[in-house]
Amino acid sequence: MQQAASRPLMRKPKRNRTEFWMLLPSIVVLAAISIFPFFFMVYASFMDYSLDMDRPRFAGFGNWADTLTDTAFWQSWGRTLVYAGGGLLAQLVFGCAIALLLYHIPRFRNLFSTLFMLPLFVAPIVTGLLWRFLLDPTYGLYHWVLNTFGLDIQVLGDPSYAMFAVIMMDVWEWTPLITIIVLAGLQTVPEEPLEAADVDGANSWQKIRYILLPMVRRMIVVALLVRSMDILRYVDTIVITTEGGPADATKTIGYYLMQVAFRFQDIGGAASVGLTMLLASILMGRFFIKVLRSEEA
Amino acid sequence: MNRSWVTKLIVLAIASVLVLSACSSGGNKPGSGSNSGSSQNATNVNGNNSGDSGQSGNAGNAGGQPSGAADSSDPFGGWVEGLPKIEAPEGFDWKQFEGVTLNVITENTPPSSGLAANIEVFEQATGIKVNIEQVNLDIVVEKAGLDFNARNSNYQIIYADPYQILSKQAKHFVDLNTLNNDPTLPSIPGGLEDFIQSQLLVGGYMGDKEHLYALPYDNPTMVLAYRKDVFEKYKDLFMQEKGYDWTPGPDMTWDQYYEVALWINEKAKAGVISEVKYGTGHQAKQHDSLMNDFSNVLAAYGGDYFEAENLGDIGTENPGKSLLTSPEAIEAAEFYNELLKIAAPGSTTWDWNGLAEAFAAGEIAMIPEWHEFAGMFENPELSKVAGKVGWTILPKGPKGRGNMYGGTSIGINKYASDKEIKAAWLFLIWATAPQTQYMILDAGFTPTRYSVYQLPYIQKAMNDPESQEAKEWPLASSLIAAQEAWKEGNVYMRPKIPMWPQIDTIIYTELSKMLAGRQSPADTMKEIAKQSDRLTGN
Amino acid sequence: MQHRQKLLHAVLYALMTLSLLWALVPILHMILSSMKTQVNMFEMPPRLFFTPTFDVYQEMFFGRGDFPQFLRNSLVVSVVTTALCLLLGVMGGFGLARGNFRWEKDVSFWVISTRMAPIPAVILPLYLIFSKLNLIGTTTGLVLAYTTFNLPFALWMMSTFFKDVPADLEEAAMIDGCGKFRAFWRVVVPAAAPGIVATAVLCLMFSWNDYLFASIFTGRGTQTVPIAASLLVSQSGIKWGQAMATGTVIIMPMLICGLLVRKYMVRGLSMGAVK
């Protein structure tokens, strides 16, 4: 009976029965806590449903039409593109650069990489509070530094700088993750190709470009996959610092969703916005995993 | 075959949930009667609002003689001569709800920390356990909404923000009239008449006056804070140059305010004034605070957001058409836009907290700010301007005056059990009783009762800034202004309508775009009007 | 040549110092500020030498507030979540890595996609389930909520790690007479230990740092430290001293934990990503 039940799932039942039973509890727990929310989102996205209503009413494509025709929704996606794209790119560049830096310095490598890791452990809500503190026009350390250099700007109060500032907060917190992953990869690169390159008279940049970077490409993709999932979802720093402003400059799709779900308590609308985010995440995940698999092959 | 597979999945799912719930018995579910020991003090990060209560003198004790011989039906103590008494029907057993646990959800405001710090008074008198959970307002709104939506009563007592909770969720609250009129239960000491009436209207009712849903609990109001030292020192100089007495007061107009602020800016830049850097500062972040700050000007120019009657007091389901395309509103927006151009440059970064901190750091001469910040300004540990701050009502405009009111009430969740509802009623009575309000003054609390303001102690504190009483109760300095601000014609109450959170967001978002120079004041008002009319279906 | 080498190193160290400044100044400023009085804290330029005061910490830990309770709650929730996700994730990750199921790729992608669900949109459905099961405001509820994002992460991480452990290892053990399960515990798990540690630290970090779920699913008595941090921004001012101290306290356990297992973590992370 048991075998009959599980056989259709497996190609080689004999060999893999234990693995199947080992995986099953996770699948069940995951299903229990994620499938219902998913179907609920799909259901709610077709209902006129807000928290203060007695019962949801069928709305057809009403929420979808409202969401997809809302210019603020698309503008938020546009800003998200800047936020996520800019953030990931900066993290990637800085992360790799600093990993290479650490890789090349002869002494104190462990000490420096340990110290550099610290921002990673700061809770996002604390990151927000901390940067708000640093950038405050009255007593912010960074505001004062900027001022001393003659830059009298209101970083969080000016739409031209606010987005840059919230990206920098994300970069500050998460660059170390990329750095340690890439550095770990660099340390496993074997000596031979590098020595061979030396013999061929390659310069440092050529060694980085043609030997080191290709060898850690896979790790970079993994790091980007994890980060790309979270950069869309997490809005803690924006909630604490700019709350989407000024002039909507930092209202990313994540913050837009927070507003619809929590402030307006519009469950139907939130579900449709949430599903577009899920879709985008999945597409992005697919993309990175595809890249990953092609690397493996 | 398929079915047995499914059955196994279900069995496993149930088993894993069971294991999970077993493995974390540390869980502490609100609503279940039993509770662990850690409950004497309510949730609060640092216990009391220590920042505000640097002055440790207990205002409650200093004032009058705590009467030991209070009515025998009042088990709470702390009553003083002149206040209405907490009275119960003959033979009422205050301990009849012993063992009930009440969960209160409230914003982390002064009365909440004051009550939390003194909760043992109530717990000992009634045997009812009270958990006061203090969170940020958006979390209160969300949790109350979820509770009501699921017809739950995880929270029996809810901080009923008039605009974000009461206006939408009134039907989920117990009609307090039924409890107040119940002959077997105690009734509100001093009666409903003792609440400041305008605050009762906006905080207690929704749509009509038949049902009373909540009792006024706090009442922050926007007034003008200014630097007395600056205004005294340069009074003559200003008089020479501009020809009038510039001291902020009821006669000041917004145009004069602008002129004064600009003058201070220039003198500060020229090095004549060294005490402050800027004339005015504002809470103009893309945030609820921006709507509040703008509304003061809007009201003074004779504008309002919507056309319906009773918009600001008992509230209405349908606000009617937006009025923001009116010439008054556009004029107000134009003025506000100009005003913000000469305001401290940090203004677009600040909500009320950031603004208050800048003022406390001595940067700004005048700010429209919530009166409760007096506690912070007068605390030398938090402020460089202690003893130098004057308060008055906000300037008037061509067509009147507006001082934004931001008070909130507390009410009872309808889905609680009968016993819990009655226990919650006892809590409401105690929490809003004049003697309790008197007791928690030192938490930075502002009474919502007429009777408390009549006490000699309070009168002394408010009218004589040099008195010992005033020093013990830092809010006293701003309260004369606040009381003036609550008067008809001076106060501004925002629309109490179910879709306010959305409208509010539209207002402050578009205003923020205006301040960033992205759109003209007239276009801003039209845009807000267009979006709100679409939302309200008008 | 020697000269150029030296110059290059000088440049490298200079750049490194700059990066460290960028990374560490905010944290140092936070820690120093938490030991200053509020008036000192706001002084610009900041004072580097001052008499530290630990009043804020004293108030937090021994004052009237519930901070120790917040800390305990955070600890319990994070540790329980991590243990649960690790237990399931280690077994499941192995199953996923070795399983060779018909829909392996789909299952594997489904697992990771459950981590992508936008939190504000899933809070209501989770709330509905939890309130049916009477889990609102309980530690169990919060553990379950954290499991929604930590379990897929653990599964996915562990399956990459296990893929790198050669199958010969367990087959050799099985030839020696171990059952498959025993072989797994005795041989495969130790071989993947760095990966497990790395996963554990990251799971711990994600639960310890979460704010959004905690803000909705906790009640009085189960609130966690990030909630405590958020409460310092109140309607009547921001308590910066306490905010900085709370921030310092929040990062400390993660810091210690992360530093203790740094070697494992780096090895674990590289193992997951490098073939």
Side-chain angles (χ1 to χ4, degrees):
Chain A
M1 191 57 199
Q2 275 182 12
Q3 276 183 0
S6 43
R7 182 166 294 141
L9 263 178
M10 290 178 273
R11 244 175 250 155
K12 300 176 209 157
K14 265 255 157 71
R15 194 175 163 231
N16 292 314
R17 205 178 326 151
T18 323
E19 283 89 344
F20 175 75
W21 287 111
M22 283 166 78
L23 178 59
L24 193 61
S26 304
I27 298 288
V28 170
V29 172
L30 210 52
I33 52 187
S34 74
I35 287 191
F36 173 70
F38 173 73
F39 282 111
F40 183 89
M41 268 165 75
V42 175
Y43 155 83
S45 74
F46 292 103
M47 304 301 276
D48 187 3
Y49 190 1
S50 71
L51 272 193
D52 58 325
M53 284 168 55
D54 284 336
R55 60 185 68 248
R57 279 186 300 263
F58 182 68
F61 286 92
N63 290 316
W64 286 100
D66 286 351
T67 300
L68 297 178
T69 55
D70 184 2
T71 43
F73 169 79
W74 293 108
Q75 284 167 349
S76 300
W77 266 115
R79 282 179 219 111
T80 307
L81 217 59
V82 175
Y83 178 68
L88 289 181
L89 189 71
Q91 282 161 45
L92 184 65
V93 171
F94 288 137
C96 289
I98 290 165
L100 285 167
L101 211 59
L102 284 165
Y103 178 75
H104 279 103
I105 57 174
R107 299 183 62 195
F108 305 123
R109 186 190 295 169
N110 273 344
L111 176 72
F112 283 177
S113 62
T114 305
L115 286 175
F116 191 72
M117 242 168 85
L118 299 187
L120 195 54
F121 300 115
V122 181
I125 186 145
V126 176
T127 306
L129 270 171
L130 182 53
W131 279 86
R132 182 163 163 184
F133 187 57
L134 288 166
L135 292 171
D136 187 278
T138 315
Y139 42 71
L141 175 66
Y142 281 6
H143 179 82
W144 173 79
V145 170
L146 288 174
N147 232 330
T148 314
F149 285 108
L151 283 168
D152 190 10
I153 51 175
Q154 307 300 324
V155 179
L156 294 177
D158 188 325
S160 338
Y161 306 109
M163 178 57 106
F164 180 72
V166 292
I167 290 177
M168 277 303 136
M169 292 173 205
D170 198 72
V171 170
W172 177 77
E173 174 147 30
W174 294 107
T175 300
L177 183 73
I178 308 226
T179 301
I180 54 168
I181 293 182
V182 173
L183 180 65
L186 287 173
Q187 284 170 337
T188 62
V189 172
E191 289 287 316
E192 295 86 27
L194 290 171
E195 282 162 7
D198 276 338
V199 173
D200 293 343
N203 63 24
S204 303
W205 169 245
Q206 284 167 328
K207 278 190 279 182
I208 290 171
R209 171 73 184 78
Y210 296 106
I211 301 173
L212 293 176
L213 281 184
M215 288 192 131
V216 294
R217 204 153 65 193
R218 183 159 178 268
M219 322 185 66
I220 294 176
V221 179
V222 171
L224 282 180
L225 173 61
V226 175
R227 281 303 302 134
S228 64
M229 281 190 294
D230 286 349
I231 205 168
L232 284 192
R233 300 196 321 158
Y234 284 151
V235 288
D236 299 28
T237 46
I238 295 181
V239 170
I240 289 285
T241 53
T242 60
E243 304 190 46
D248 266 354
T250 57
K251 196 190 267 176
T252 61
I253 193 68
Y255 192 82
Y256 179 90
L257 173 64
M258 281 266 302
Q259 222 168 35
V260 176
F262 289 170
R263 198 167 158 71
F264 307 159
Q265 304 195 326
D266 175 4
I267 308 303
S272 59
V273 177
L275 283 172
T276 64
M277 283 175 70
L278 188 60
L279 183 73
S281 298
I282 286 178
L283 287 178
M284 222 153 61
R286 277 256 174 233
F287 169 75
F288 281 121
I289 284 176
K290 213 168 187 177
V291 175
L292 206 63
R293 292 218 167 110
S294 70
E295 293 279 321
E296 278 169 21
Chain B
M1 183 178 95
N2 241 340
R3 182 176 299 166
S4 74
W5 187 74
V6 170
T7 319
K8 265 183 223 132
L9 269 180
I10 292 170
V11 169
L12 256 164
I14 293 171
S16 55
V17 166
L18 282 178
V19 169
L20 272 174
S21 33
C23 76
S24 59
S25 51
N28 191 351
K29 179 187 154 339
S32 65
S34 72
N35 208 325
S36 49
S38 60
S39 42
Q40 273 303 320
N41 278 325
T43 299
N44 189 355
V45 184
N46 73 337
N48 200 351
N49 216 352
S50 73
D52 295 350
S53 56
Q55 284 81 353
S56 56
N58 186 337
N61 291 335
Q65 268 66 44
S67 161
D71 192 277
S72 61
S73 65
D74 170 8
F76 302 108
W79 178 82
V80 294
E81 191 63 44
L83 293 181
K85 292 174 179 171
I86 297 180
E87 278 169 318
E90 200 67 36
F92 182 77
D93 176 12
W94 282 95
K95 292 245 181 192
Q96 59 181 298
F97 302 112
E98 187 146 18
V100 172
T101 299
L102 294 176
N103 294 299
V104 184
I105 185 154
T106 165
E107 191 180 357
N108 42 350
T109 57
S112 306
S113 37
L115 290 176
N118 291 291
I119 196 65
E120 62 273 25
V121 174
F122 179 77
E123 292 187 335
Q124 273 162 20
T126 61
I128 298 167
K129 243 219 67 42
V130 184
N131 295 320
I132 299 183
E133 182 179 329
Q134 300 188 53
V135 289
N136 294 320
L137 181 59
D138 49 341
I139 305 292
V140 178
V141 173
E142 180 68 8
K143 282 188 164 182
L146 289 167
D147 222 16
F148 290 143
N149 187 255
R151 303 289 186 272
N152 275 345
S153 61
N154 285 315
Y155 301 100
Q156 293 87 359
I157 297 166
I158 289 168
Y159 183 79
D161 184 279
Y163 313 102
Q164 295 196 50
I165 297 180
L166 193 61
S167 62
K168 285 181 176 211
Q169 317 269 27
K171 58 179 180 287
H172 302 296
F173 283 92
V174 172
D175 182 354
L176 300 179
N177 284 329
T178 59
L179 293 164
N180 198 28
N181 299 332
D182 187 332
T184 67
L185 290 172
S187 53
I188 296 167
L192 286 173
E193 322 69 91
D194 191 37
F195 285 104
I196 296 169
Q197 289 300 294
S198 56
Q199 302 182 5
L200 181 67
L201 273 183
V202 63
Y205 302 96
M206 178 60 206
D208 58 59
K209 281 185 71 179
E210 257 166 69
H211 309 282
L212 175 69
Y213 297 111
L215 298 177
Y217 181 67
D218 61 15
N219 49 16
T221 304
M222 288 186 84
V223 283
L224 184 68
Y226 64 95
R227 289 282 297 279
K228 278 188 297 192
D229 55 334
V230 173
F231 278 89
E232 269 157 35
K233 189 168 169 190
Y234 304 100
K235 188 177 173 178
D236 297 338
L237 186 61
F238 186 86
M239 180 70 105
Q240 263 173 29
E241 292 191 12
K242 300 286 180 184
Y244 61 95
D245 180 359
W246 72 337
T247 313
D251 293 330
M252 189 183 227
T253 66
W254 276 111
D255 283 336
Q256 286 171 341
Y257 183 91
Y258 181 91
E259 189 174 29
V260 167
L262 189 62
W263 189 83
I264 295 176
N265 281 355
E266 283 161 2
K267 296 293 172 198
K269 210 165 209 172
V272 178
I273 295 182
S274 57
E275 287 84 354
V276 294
K277 284 194 215 155
Y278 307 106
T280 179
H282 293 267
Q283 38 192 284
K285 179 180 177 174
Q286 181 172 330
H287 182 273
D288 181 54
S289 63
L290 175 53
M291 180 281 301
N292 285 302
D293 198 50
F294 171 69
S295 299
N296 297 324
V297 175
L298 178 69
Y301 275 76
D304 200 348
Y305 292 107
F306 293 101
E307 62 181 2
E309 298 276 306
N310 300 329
L311 201 56
D313 44 46
I314 61 173
T316 174
E317 291 285 328
N318 187 348
K321 273 198 122 31
S322 171
L323 292 180
L324 287 187
T325 47
S326 69
E328 290 90 353
I330 291 172
E331 206 186 335
E334 271 160 2
F335 174 78
Y336 189 73
N337 196 33
E338 289 307 309
L339 181 62
L340 262 287
K341 283 181 186 157
I342 62 156
S347 293
T348 49
T349 322
W350 293 325
D351 57 12
W352 41 72
N353 286 324
L355 177 63
E357 282 162 355
F359 185 77
E363 306 234 310
I364 309 170
M366 306 182 283
I367 59 169
E369 183 58 287
W370 301 93
H371 83 274
E372 285 180 346
F373 279 100
M376 174 183 172
F377 296 157
E378 295 304 329
N379 182 346
E381 281 174 34
L382 301 173
S383 139
K384 291 184 187 165
V385 298
K388 299 176 183 167
V389 184
W391 294 87
T392 183
I393 52 173
L394 288 169
K396 60 186 178 191
K399 292 193 177 161
R401 197 190 304 272
N403 288 271
M404 181 56 114
Y405 171 78
T408 298
S409 306
I410 49 173
I412 302 175
N413 185 336
K414 197 167 90 177
Y415 307 105
S417 72
D418 195 45
K419 203 172 170 187
E420 284 171 342
I421 288 178
K422 286 179 176 166
W425 175 243
L426 298 192
F427 178 80
L428 250 60
I429 287 199
W430 174 74
T432 63
Q435 67 202 54
T436 311
Q437 297 200 336
Y438 187 52
M439 180 174 71
I440 62 173
L441 285 181
D442 65 336
F445 174 68
T446 311
T448 61
R449 301 281 211 149
Y450 291 125
S451 57
V452 181
Y453 289 98
Q454 296 314 314
L455 291 177
Y457 174 85
I458 305 279
Q459 285 294 326
K460 185 94 193 280
M462 283 175 33
N463 290 317
D464 180 4
E466 300 307 316
S467 66
Q468 188 57 32
E469 285 84 350
K471 294 202 171 96
E472 281 172 3
W473 185 38
L475 241 50
S477 60
S478 66
L479 261 181
I480 294 193
Q483 279 197 307
E484 193 60 32
W486 292 332
K487 286 185 183 154
E488 177 94 43
N490 289 344
V491 74
Y492 178 74
M493 306 263 192
R494 73 197 83 173
K496 200 165 100 190
I497 50 175
M499 55 292 265
W500 179 249
Q502 282 93 323
I503 304 278
D504 182 21
T505 307
I506 294 169
I507 294 168
Y508 66 67
T509 304
E510 295 305 321
L511 284 173
S512 178
K513 290 180 189 165
M514 172 182 91
L515 297 181
R518 300 279 161 91
Q519 56 195 17
S520 75
D523 289 345
T524 305
M525 292 299 109
K526 280 179 202 145
E527 185 61 31
I528 299 172
K530 194 177 88 190
Q531 290 185 37
S532 8
D533 282 344
R534 191 167 49 201
L535 200 71
T536 59
N538 285 295
Chain C
M1 195 63 196
Q2 190 73 320
H3 193 69
R4 258 192 68 187
Q5 183 82 5
K6 264 201 180 136
L7 191 74
L8 182 71
H9 280 163
V11 171
L12 289 184
Y13 278 106
L15 284 174
M16 199 58 235
T17 313
L18 268 181
S19 331
L20 280 180
L21 277 179
W22 158 253
L24 295 184
V25 164
I27 295 179
L28 281 177
H29 187 57
M30 174 169 84
I31 297 173
L32 290 182
S33 296
S34 75
M35 297 188 286
K36 291 180 184 176
T37 60
Q38 187 123 356
V39 176
N40 275 342
M41 192 191 308
F42 290 168
E43 229 173 348
M44 284 300 139
R47 210 181 277 203
L48 286 176
F49 302 99
F50 57 93
T51 334
T53 148
F54 296 95
D55 291 356
V56 191
Y57 290 96
Q58 192 154 4
E59 174 68 34
M60 270 165 62
F61 283 100
F62 307 108
R64 276 198 289 176
D66 286 340
F67 193 77
Q69 196 193 344
F70 285 100
L71 208 57
R72 202 167 53 235
N73 292 335
S74 267
L75 218 60
V76 169
V77 173
S78 319
V79 170
V80 172
T81 309
T82 307
L84 179 76
C85 291
L86 224 53
L87 182 74
L88 291 172
V90 166
M91 296 204 317
F94 183 71
L96 210 55
R98 290 284 197 275
N100 213 5
F101 312 117
R102 189 171 301 169
W103 303 311
E104 188 221 322
K105 281 193 173 164
D106 300 298
V107 171
S108 152
F109 189 76
W110 170 70
V111 164
I112 193 67
S113 70
T114 57
R115 195 176 183 277
M116 300 172 182
I119 296 172
V122 299
I123 273 185
L124 179 70
L126 281 180
Y127 186 93
L128 292 178
I129 306 178
F130 288 178
S131 77
K132 282 273 177 295
L133 298 173
N134 273 334
L135 291 176
I136 301 296
T138 65
T139 312
T140 315
L142 198 57
V143 166
L144 269 181
Y146 288 173
T147 307
T148 59
F149 58 77
N150 269 336
L151 180 57
F153 182 74
L155 272 174
W156 186 71
M157 287 279 281
M158 288 320 302
S159 82
T160 18
F161 292 136
F162 284 129
K163 272 184 191 156
D164 291 334
V165 178
D168 311 354
L169 264 185
E170 74 227 49
E171 274 156 20
M174 281 166 72
I175 289 167
D176 289 348
C178 284
K180 183 149 218 174
F181 201 66
R182 254 171 78 96
F184 165 69
W185 280 116
R186 284 281 178 78
V187 182
V188 184
V189 169
I196 297 177
V197 172
T199 311
V201 171
L202 290 175
C203 281
L204 204 60
M205 197 174 88
F206 285 128
S207 342
W208 181 263
N209 288 349
D210 167 80
Y211 165 70
L212 213 49
F213 272 130
S215 67
I216 301 298
F217 292 126
T218 58
R220 197 190 111 46
T222 53
Q223 285 170 317
T224 56
V225 184
I227 304 291
S230 76
L231 290 182
L232 297 170
V233 181
S234 78
Q235 228 190 27
S236 42
I238 302 177
K239 297 182 183 116
W240 282 116
Q242 283 185 55
M244 294 301 111
T246 309
T248 309
V249 173
I250 293 184
I251 65 170
M252 279 309 160
M254 286 295 97
L255 216 88
I256 293 165
C257 188
L259 295 188
L260 280 180
V261 299
R262 198 193 77 91
K263 271 215 175 105
Y264 276 106
M265 214 169 131
V266 170
R267 246 174 68 203
L269 287 172
S270 60
M271 206 168 99
V274 168
K275 275 285 180 187

